[in-house]
């Protein structure tokens, strides 16, 4: 089942025409330059949104269950992570969301019975922190004045002030970024 908020976020993010140039990162610390040079090819379009598919195992209560999910991250507006799993043989689906400054979590069994719903300032703040950390999947977003780079212990680090919050993120990379 498709998530309407995820599809709307993806559909309303305009395509980028801005391209990456190494000249944009010459002033950054060495670890940041290595990471961004490895992540972005010269002349690549700087995407404004990314759509990710993933699968793995998620711990719900005491048990681990397989899941699959789709996530859209739009730096300008936020993200939607929509996942499906089974709990005691019953299908559970839902999403974690931060769009336009509002965070929420909504999960249902069989798409009908609420398992968990949460929103409010704490959920929003947490979701914005997640958006900041997951900006690594959208490296063009890390080339704005909202982001201050530094060298970390094991790779580049950045402090981002965006969407009404501030977060510090440290990446672990090899010598090539």
């Amino acid at each position: 089942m498709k998530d309407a908020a995820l599809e709307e976020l993806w559909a309303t993010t305009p395509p980028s025409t801005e391209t990456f140039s190494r000249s944009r990162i010459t002033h950054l610390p060495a670890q940041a330059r290595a990471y961004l040079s490895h992540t972005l090819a010269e002349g690549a379009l700087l995407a404004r949104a990314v759509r990710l598919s993933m699968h793995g195992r998620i711990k719900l209560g005491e048990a681990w269950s397989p899941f699959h999910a789709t996530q859209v991250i739009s730096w300008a507006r936020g993200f939607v992570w929509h996942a499906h799993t089974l709990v005691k043989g019953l299908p559970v689906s839902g999403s974690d969301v931060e769009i336009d400054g509002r965070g929420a979590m909504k999960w249902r069994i069989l798409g009908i019975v609420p398992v968990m719903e949460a929103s409010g300032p704490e959920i929003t703040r947490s979701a914005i922190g997640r958006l900041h950390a997951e900006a690594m999947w959208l490296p063009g977003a890390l080339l704005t004045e909202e982001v201050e780079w530094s060298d970390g212990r094991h790779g580049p680090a950045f402090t981002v002030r965006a969407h009404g919050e501030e977060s510090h993120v440290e990446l672990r990379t090899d010598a090539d970024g």
Side-chain angles (χ1 to χ4, degrees), residues 66-175:
F67 80 92
H68 62 275
T70 302
Q71 181 172 6
V72 168
I73 303 169
S74 168
W75 187 247
R77 295 195 53 212
F79 75 90
V80 176
W81 182 75
H82 185 81
H84 302 274
T85 188
L86 294 175
V87 175
K88 297 183 180 181
L90 294 173
V92 176
S93 62
S95 59
D96 297 346
V97 175
E98 190 279 318
I99 297 179
D100 300 331
R102 298 188 63 177
M105 301 166 64
K106 294 181 183 177
W107 293 87
R108 298 186 183 282
I109 294 175
L110 299 169
I112 302 167
V113 181
V115 174
M116 193 266 263
E117 291 190 21
S119 62
E122 296 87 6
I123 300 296
T124 296
R125 185 168 189 253
S126 175
I128 291 171
R130 177 176 173 175
L131 174 65
H132 290 171
E134 292 182 353
M136 64 172 262
W137 298 116
L138 196 58
L142 301 174
L143 296 173
T144 69
E145 61 219 21
E146 299 167 317
V147 178
E148 182 180 324
W149 286 92
S150 59
D151 285 334
R153 287 180 28 151
H154 302 288
F158 60 89
T159 300
V160 57
R161 293 170 193 85
H163 301 271
E165 296 291 339
E166 178 178 311
S167 302
H168 182 73
V169 178
E170 292 195 25
L171 303 176
R172 182 179 289 258
T173 61
D174 64 15

